[in-house]
Amino acid sequence: MDIDLLSKMVSELILENDRVALPGLGEFVAQIVPSSITDKGYTINPPYRKLVFRPSKNDDGLLASLYAEANGTALDVASGVIREFVEGMKAVLKDQKVVVFPELGRLRATRENNVFFVADEDLDIFPECFGMEPVSLKSRRPAKIDFAEIDIASPETEPEPVPIPIAEAETVTEAISEPEPEVGPTPAPEPETTAEAVPESELEERPRRGKGRKVLAGLAVAAGVIVLMLGVFVLVSRLAPDFVDRILYTPEELEIINYGK
């Protein structure tokens, strides 16, 4: 008999029993801790079983029965082996104040020789809730849109304007500058205001201004639609919160959130 075997026997028995006694020292007790909500309501913790140790004179005989069955010995012989080993543990606790149960935890004693148990962080003695992990609701909140970061003045998708060839511009200006002859008295000649009055740079800027205004108008409409959709979502979330929850969460998550209400 050694501490490794005793630890494995306790781990096996505590899965199906709420109490496992160490004769003459005390007993391990498994307590169910219900699910809880922490982190200001944003984290849901699943239920689990906590293992503690209490002084007791009771002997349920579970360890002796398991030892006798595994080694093919009589029950009274197995009971004597268990009691003898526990007496040795009591002497170690009195001198060294700690006994390590591998993969289970540590049995400690205070200066007054009061015994208590510190379980391992990874200890799992609740098979019914195997695989359950805390659920955080922070990552499931709808993201907020900061319209101040949207650069409407310089959109990245603005197409480059196509410059007008100079030759075509001269042809147009010449056609405009030559009036058709009229019948009658010859009118006074008008000052030429064709190519010299409209610079070529201004002709190239006009298409850009028109396209820039269309892009600004499109972005303004898109921003208005987004604001309207957010307003509708906030209104629906206040009038019909259950409907919004069914959209944001799965049925399993809704069951966990509504647990205990």
Side-chain angles (χ1 to χ4, degrees), residues 35 44-48 124 126-135 256:
S35 60
I44 302 176
N45 302 304
Y48 66 96
D124 186 3
F126 201 5
E128 291 81 358
C129 292
F130 177 77
M132 286 189 177
E133 296 181 355
V135 178
I256 295 175

Side-chain angles (χ1 to χ4, degrees), residues 21-48:
L22 297 180
L25 181 61
E27 61 182 359
F28 288 99
V29 180
Q31 300 174 341
I32 295 181
V33 180
S35 60
S36 59
I37 299 177
T38 58
D39 194 15
K40 297 182 180 180
Y42 288 111
T43 301
I44 302 176
N45 302 304
Y48 66 96

Side-chain angles (χ1 to χ4, degrees), residues 158-165 168-169 198-216:
E158 180 180 358
E160 296 183 359
V162 179
I164 300 176
E168 295 182 1
V198 182
E200 296 178 359
S201 59
E202 184 176 351
L203 292 176
E204 295 179 0
E205 287 293 331
R206 289 179 181 177
R208 296 183 180 179
R209 294 177 182 176
K211 292 181 180 180
R213 292 175 181 175
K214 292 180 179 179
V215 172
L216 289 175

Side-chain angles (χ1 to χ4, degrees), residues 68-86:
E69 181 181 355
N71 294 275
T73 61
L75 183 59
D76 56 346
V77 175
S79 179
V81 172
I82 297 296
R83 286 184 175 275
E84 181 180 358
F85 187 80
V86 173

Side-chain angles (χ1 to χ4, degrees), residues 5 31 109 112 132 167 184 191 199 203 209 223 226 231 233 235 238 255:
L5 178 58
Q31 300 174 341
E112 296 78 14
M132 286 189 177
L203 292 176
R209 294 177 182 176
I226 293 175
F233 178 80
L235 181 62
R238 293 188 176 181
E255 184 176 357

